[in-house]
Amino acid sequence: MSKLIKIPLTLEVGLTKSIGDWEVGGVASGFLRDLDGEAITPQAVRDAIPDFMASRGADGIQGGPLRLHHDFWTRFLRQAIDALNLPRDVQFELVAAISLPLGRVTQIWVDEQGTTHWKGILSQANPISGIIWQLLREKLIHLGVSLGGKILQTQAGGRDRLGRPCTLITAIRLDEISITDNPALSLS
C-alpha cells in the first residue's frame, strides 16, 4: 500500500541567480515527529537518496522531481486559473503545467544531526514555477516542503530526536519533494 510521507519543513529562495537558474532549497526532514505521529529516520533518508537522485528529467537535469504539493495546489490553481478569464489556450497551458514537475532537486544530504537539506532548480519552462518564484522573491508567501514517497518499513514504539514517542519510518522510497503551504512539521 502506498502512503504519502508528509514531513513539510522550509523552502528558501536562492535570490541570486546563477546562469539564469531559479535556485531554491531548504530543510526537508529533521527526524522529528510529524502530525501523523511518524518520524523518518536519517538512515532511511540516506538510503533513499541514491535512487531518488538517479532519475533524470526531460530537461536533462539529474535529480528527483520538485512538485506542487499533492492535491491542494491542483484544486486551488485550477479555480484561480478559471477565475482569471484568460484565453482558453492560455488556460489549457496553465492547467497542463500544474501536473508537470516544477523543477529538479539537484542536491540532497543528511547532516550529522539527522537533518535532511536540499537544493533545487525551478524550471523556467513551467509557468507555475514562474508564479511561485515571483511570490517567493516578493516574500508574499512562505512555503514548506514535504517528502513524498512510499513507506517501506516502520517500527512502532520509537522516539524522534527530541525523545518524543512516535512510529519510526525506517525504510522509504523517495519519489518527490513537494512544495506546500501547509507544513505538518516546523523546525522553528
Side-chain angles (χ1 to χ4, degrees), residues 132-184:
I132 290 174
W133 176 256
Q134 191 65 29
L135 290 169
L136 289 169
R137 282 195 49 192
E138 294 175 4
K139 299 185 190 293
L140 296 175
I141 56 173
H142 178 73
L143 297 174
V145 295
S146 176
L147 295 178
K150 182 177 180 181
I151 296 173
L152 302 175
Q153 186 175 339
T154 63
Q155 175 187 329
R159 298 204 174 264
D160 71 2
R161 83 170 185 203
L162 298 178
R164 298 177 299 182
C166 64
T167 298
L168 297 176
I169 297 171
T170 56
I172 61 170
R173 183 188 72 221
L174 186 55
D175 295 331
E176 66 183 31
I177 291 184
S178 296
I179 295 177
T180 178
D181 69 332
N182 187 21

Side-chain angles (χ1 to χ4, degrees), residues 58-78:
D59 53 11
I61 296 175
Q62 188 168 345
L66 183 60
R67 296 192 176 278
L68 285 174
H69 183 253
H70 324 309
D71 293 327
F72 170 80
W73 283 90
T74 302
R75 288 190 312 272
F76 171 77
L77 286 173
R78 284 189 180 170

Side-chain angles (χ1 to χ4, degrees), residues 97-153:
I98 292 170
S99 62
L100 297 173
L102 295 172
R104 288 272 160 201
V105 176
T106 57
Q107 294 178 26
I108 184 168
W109 69 97
V110 181
D111 68 19
E112 303 80 34
Q113 289 76 39
T115 301
T116 304
H117 303 269
W118 69 279
K119 291 182 181 182
I121 298 173
L122 293 175
S123 170
Q124 294 182 29
N126 186 327
I128 303 299
S129 296
I131 293 167
I132 290 174
W133 176 256
Q134 191 65 29
L135 290 169
L136 289 169
R137 282 195 49 192
E138 294 175 4
K139 299 185 190 293
L140 296 175
I141 56 173
H142 178 73
L143 297 174
V145 295
S146 176
L147 295 178
K150 182 177 180 181
I151 296 173
L152 302 175
Q153 186 175 339

Side-chain angles (χ1 to χ4, degrees), residues 41-52 110 170-172:
T41 64
Q43 192 58 49
V45 177
R46 281 186 194 101
D47 292 345
I49 288 173
D51 287 341
F52 178 68
V110 181
T170 56
I172 61 170

